[in-house]
Amino acid sequence: MQHNNPLPTEILNLLPTLTPLQLAWLSGYAWSQASGVEQQVAGQHLAANLTALSAETFSITVLSGSQTGNAKSVADKVATELTEAGIAVKRIALKDYKAKTIADEKYLLLVTSTQGEGEPPEEGVVLHKLLNGKKAPKLTELQFAVLGLGDSSYPNFCQAGKDFDQRFAELGATRLFERVDADLDYSATAEQWIRDIVAIVKEKATQASPVVQSIATATTAPVAKESQYNKANPFPATLITNQKITGRQSDKDVRHLEFDLAGSDLHYQAGDALGVWFDNDPKLVDEILSLVQIAPITEVTIEGKAQTISTALLSHLELTQNTPAFVKGYAALAHNEQLNDLVADNQALQELVQRTPIVDVLHKFPAKLTAEQLVSLLRPLTPRLYSISSSPAEVGEEVHLTVGVVRFEHEGRARSGAASSFLADRVEEDGAVRVFVEHNDNFRLPNDKTKPIIMVGSGTGVAPFRAFMQQRVADEASGKNWLIFGNPHFASDFLYQTEWQQFAKEGFLHKYDFAWSRDQEKKIYVQDKIRENSAALWQWLQEGAYFYVCGDASKMAKDVEQALLEVIAKEGNLSPDEAEDYLNELREEKRYQRDVY
């Protein structure tokens, strides 16, 4: 049955475009006008006022490009504070943002992380490509501000933030505020940025529409209910299983780890990551203190708490990831001529940072420090994130990880990764590990369970695909599943071999290709398998397949993307530019998803 709507068409067309603030104003206005006015005249009057309101009201868009959730949480916070200040805010994650909309924006805030070798996070790739491509729009009407989150132990620190900021300006946009870059301990920097931005935006809003803003009432953005356990308050999960799953002959030490989450109320989905807090190696702590000649019982204050320097190094400070800031700061205290020369040469400095652990800088350029000096050089310890390799539908209140233990030698001294060696070597089974769940909405199985999926991973990049397969089996998903997995040797590096064989035997793994790079003279990688299966891969894509990649961002993920573009161009009879456009469409449809690190 149809109902005649008493409102004019122009009002009906305008309503979906209004912000909550505008709708609240409209409600009061309409009520005040309702008494004693002819319906048609009132409708026309209301339409005119609505159009004026829509045109006048100041609105700002807050975008986030997040890989692990940090950029999202900062963007949520600035959006909430702006809303509470009476500003109309459109808060959108880049995964849900139509890139071409950028041409229509007037005021924009972007909070973005950086991944790989300075690339934007996965959800920001489409916008990044548009802004840097031939179809980049003019942005002369746009006023913007960028906050970049990054890790200064990498050479291209906050590069995605720098790139977006520069490109906006090159396309004619004006900065509301100079770009700010934040390191791993980003909280204080982000808080200051939020305070500065809110003040600037409030001033802009007052200038833009003083009348409307004076009507505005502060509204609070809904805050999602948080679990009792999170990054700041991790759950002490029991380590149930620590099993080496690479063979004796393997160059790799990969562990299958199982944790008990019973009683935590922590929930995760296939595609999520587990955050792990850890303690540094006590032997490394002793070695560093000995090199800088500090007694372990010397007291220092960290975040207002007095403790021994030994405790601070063990549980609160980053000891394995070197940074340019550490080397520069240490050089200023060490007074070593050779080190000063290295610091003065940016290329040499970057090479030293990438190749030399913190402790070996101390070996190479010895100097005596005070406890306070040492603490001032080191960053706060941060948790490590690992792709979860289980589905709760299969393992209940457990969570599984697949961790490659980092072990290497530097100038004859054995070194290891801080978190991976903690999990492999220093936590007893039945011991507790402090964990939290980091949701990753950019790496999800299709909602439509009839859709095929193609999973490409190398090394421990196979982890989330074990979770995917467990979930597909539990869902009785009818869509086909194809695994393309690579590692050095079939005999010693076939992670979860019996499980993949079982999935295939039971009819859940419909196609599989393995690239054993060192089992023959010519190295074979996952990207070679993609090219070999060109026709089949194109056919699966035509059937609506989702294509997933997990693994190393700097090499493997780039090589896989290049191979995929070649397949699309060849099988689709497309030019390189058209293949790029096709892949971008897959991204926007969430059919090309990557979990890379």
Side-chain angles (χ1 to χ4, degrees):
M1 183 187 295
Q2 288 191 329
H3 296 277
N4 290 325
N5 199 309
L7 291 174
T9 306
E10 58 266 38
I11 294 179
L12 293 174
N13 291 339
L14 196 56
L15 286 174
T17 70
L18 299 180
T19 66
L21 181 62
Q22 292 167 335
L23 288 168
W25 178 89
L26 166 62
S27 174
Y29 177 87
W31 181 256
S32 69
Q33 293 292 315
S35 176
V37 183
E38 287 287 330
Q39 195 176 70
Q40 188 175 0
V41 175
Q44 290 165 352
H45 190 191
L46 183 55
N49 276 278
L50 265 177
T51 305
L53 176 65
S54 181
E56 283 181 25
T57 300
F58 179 94
S59 172
I60 189 163
T61 299
V62 179
L63 297 177
S64 60
S66 200
Q67 199 69 21
T68 63
N70 292 339
K72 178 182 178 297
S73 66
V74 174
D76 285 345
K77 185 156 191 187
V78 73
T80 299
E81 296 208 10
L82 286 168
T83 305
E84 288 174 350
I87 309 292
V89 176
K90 287 184 282 186
R91 168 72 187 97
I92 310 172
L94 278 175
K95 67 184 174 69
D96 301 318
Y97 187 70
K98 291 295 179 195
K100 290 174 184 173
T101 312
I102 197 76
D104 302 323
E105 302 288 2
K106 296 291 185 286
Y107 297 94
L108 177 77
L109 303 180
L110 171 63
V111 185
T112 181
S113 63
T114 294
Q115 67 161 359
E117 295 184 311
E119 286 97 19
E122 282 305 301
E123 60 178 330
V125 170
V126 175
L127 178 60
H128 189 268
K129 283 182 180 291
L130 173 70
L131 294 175
N132 290 280
K134 295 173 186 173
K135 298 176 183 174
K138 291 292 178 199
L139 300 178
T140 49
E141 299 296 309
L142 178 66
Q143 295 186 49
F144 72 96
V146 174
L147 172 66
L149 304 186
D151 178 348
S152 62
S153 66
Y154 289 92
N156 298 310
F157 174 56
C158 284
Q159 194 61 48
K162 293 172 183 175
D163 288 348
F164 276 116
D165 178 81
Q166 181 181 338
R167 199 65 190 126
F168 285 149
E170 287 173 353
L171 294 170
T174 307
R175 290 183 180 88
L176 284 166
F177 194 59
E178 287 299 313
R179 188 195 76 247
V180 171
D181 301 329
D183 207 342
L184 284 179
D185 48 339
Y186 63 90
S187 296
T189 308
E191 289 287 347
Q192 184 59 52
W193 182 81
I194 290 170
R195 283 194 292 274
D196 292 338
I197 286 297
V198 169
I200 290 165
V201 172
K202 281 170 72 175
E203 179 64 27
K204 286 280 179 187
T206 304
Q207 293 167 3
S209 48
V211 178
V212 174
Q213 290 303 315
S214 68
I215 300 169
T217 54
T219 58
T220 306
V223 178
K225 184 178 180 291
E226 291 191 5
S227 164
Q228 178 189 352
Y229 296 105
N230 49 41
K231 185 177 179 179
N233 179 36
F235 175 70
T238 301
L239 176 63
I240 309 166
T241 301
N242 173 358
Q243 178 187 1
K244 187 177 179 185
I245 56 173
T246 40
R248 285 183 188 173
Q249 306 305 313
S250 177
D251 294 332
K252 300 183 176 188
D253 179 356
V254 176
R255 302 299 175 104
H256 172 75
L257 302 166
E258 299 180 358
F259 301 90
D260 185 2
L261 295 180
S264 70
D265 288 328
L266 283 172
H267 302 287
Y268 68 92
Q269 298 179 54
D272 285 340
L274 192 74
V276 174
W277 287 97
F278 59 93
D279 284 341
N280 285 308
D281 187 341
K283 290 177 184 172
L284 178 63
V285 170
D286 292 343
E287 186 177 358
I288 287 173
L289 290 175
S290 173
L291 285 165
V292 294
Q293 301 172 50
I294 298 171
I297 57 169
T298 308
E299 282 218 342
V300 291
T301 301
I302 305 276
E303 294 181 355
K305 292 180 184 172
Q307 56 199 284
T308 65
I309 184 69
S310 180
T311 300
L313 295 188
L314 190 71
S315 303
H316 299 287
L317 297 168
E318 179 62 63
L319 300 185
T320 57
Q321 291 184 341
N322 201 353
T323 66
F326 172 82
V327 177
K328 287 177 181 175
Y330 182 65
L333 298 169
H335 307 298
N336 181 295
E337 195 174 326
Q338 187 188 353
L339 183 55
N340 287 339
D341 289 344
L342 278 169
V343 167
D345 179 343
N346 194 50
Q347 175 93 22
L349 173 63
Q350 289 297 345
E351 285 180 13
L352 179 73
V353 168
Q354 294 305 308
R355 295 177 183 174
T356 315
I358 285 172
V359 64
D360 290 303
V361 173
L362 304 178
H363 270 289
K364 198 173 179 71
F365 309 103
K368 187 177 190 299
L369 299 179
T370 67
E372 287 75 16
Q373 285 173 333
L374 179 60
V375 167
S376 74
L377 295 174
L378 299 171
R379 299 186 299 173
L381 187 136
T382 54
R384 304 296 193 256
L385 295 177
Y386 295 99
S387 300
I388 291 172
S389 54
S390 58
S391 162
E394 170 68 23
V395 303
E397 290 191 293
E398 293 178 11
V399 63
H400 299 177
L401 298 182
T402 310
V403 175
V405 188
V406 177
R407 303 191 197 278
F408 61 100
E409 275 199 2
H410 186 85
E411 296 183 352
R413 291 179 286 265
R415 300 294 177 216
S416 56
S420 62
S421 66
F422 169 77
L423 291 169
D425 306 334
R426 300 196 295 281
V427 182
E428 299 290 327
E429 287 195 0
D430 295 328
V433 177
R434 295 164 294 150
V435 303
F436 59 95
V437 171
E438 191 72 69
H439 298 290
N440 183 5
D441 292 334
N442 301 315
F443 206 70
R444 289 280 184 256
L445 283 167
N447 291 326
D448 183 345
K449 296 174 179 54
T450 67
K451 295 294 184 187
I453 64 170
I454 303 167
M455 303 167 283
V456 182
S458 59
T460 55
V462 80
F465 302 137
R466 179 178 184 260
F468 276 15
M469 286 302 299
Q470 289 180 354
Q471 189 63 50
R472 295 278 272 190
V473 171
D475 290 341
E476 298 181 354
S478 60
K480 296 182 295 181
N481 306 304
W482 180 358
L483 175 70
I484 303 174
F485 170 63
N487 235 354
H489 300 285
F490 165 77
S492 55
D493 300 312
F494 196 166
L495 307 182
Y496 302 114
Q497 178 181 356
T498 55
E499 294 186 31
W500 296 117
Q501 289 170 335
Q502 192 65 24
F503 285 135
K505 184 180 174 184
E506 292 174 358
F508 290 107
L509 189 59
H510 303 84
K511 186 168 170 51
Y512 45 87
D513 290 276
F514 301 114
W516 309 114
S517 60
R518 304 297 194 277
D519 275 354
Q520 61 286 309
E521 193 175 339
K522 184 175 184 285
K523 292 177 182 174
I524 297 173
Y525 297 106
V526 286
Q527 60 267 26
D528 299 315
K529 292 296 177 182
I530 287 170
R531 292 186 181 95
E532 274 178 34
N533 288 273
S534 181
L537 199 150
W538 180 250
Q539 182 58 42
W540 280 51
L541 289 177
Q542 298 312 295
E543 293 168 9
Y546 283 57
F547 191 98
Y548 299 92
V549 184
C550 184
D552 169 54
S554 60
K555 190 92 178 77
M556 171 265 194
K558 287 180 179 175
D559 291 339
V560 165
E561 182 159 310
Q562 184 54 43
L564 180 56
L565 284 167
E566 288 172 25
V567 167
I568 291 167
K570 176 187 169 188
E571 300 296 336
N573 197 24
L574 302 173
S575 70
D577 282 349
E578 288 169 335
E580 280 273 6
D581 289 343
Y582 181 94
L583 191 59
N584 278 337
E585 283 176 25
L586 290 185
R587 280 187 201 273
E588 294 212 61
E589 293 168 7
K590 311 287 192 291
R591 287 178 52 206
Y592 177 43
Q593 299 184 32
R594 306 195 311 169
D595 179 12
V596 296
Y597 37 83

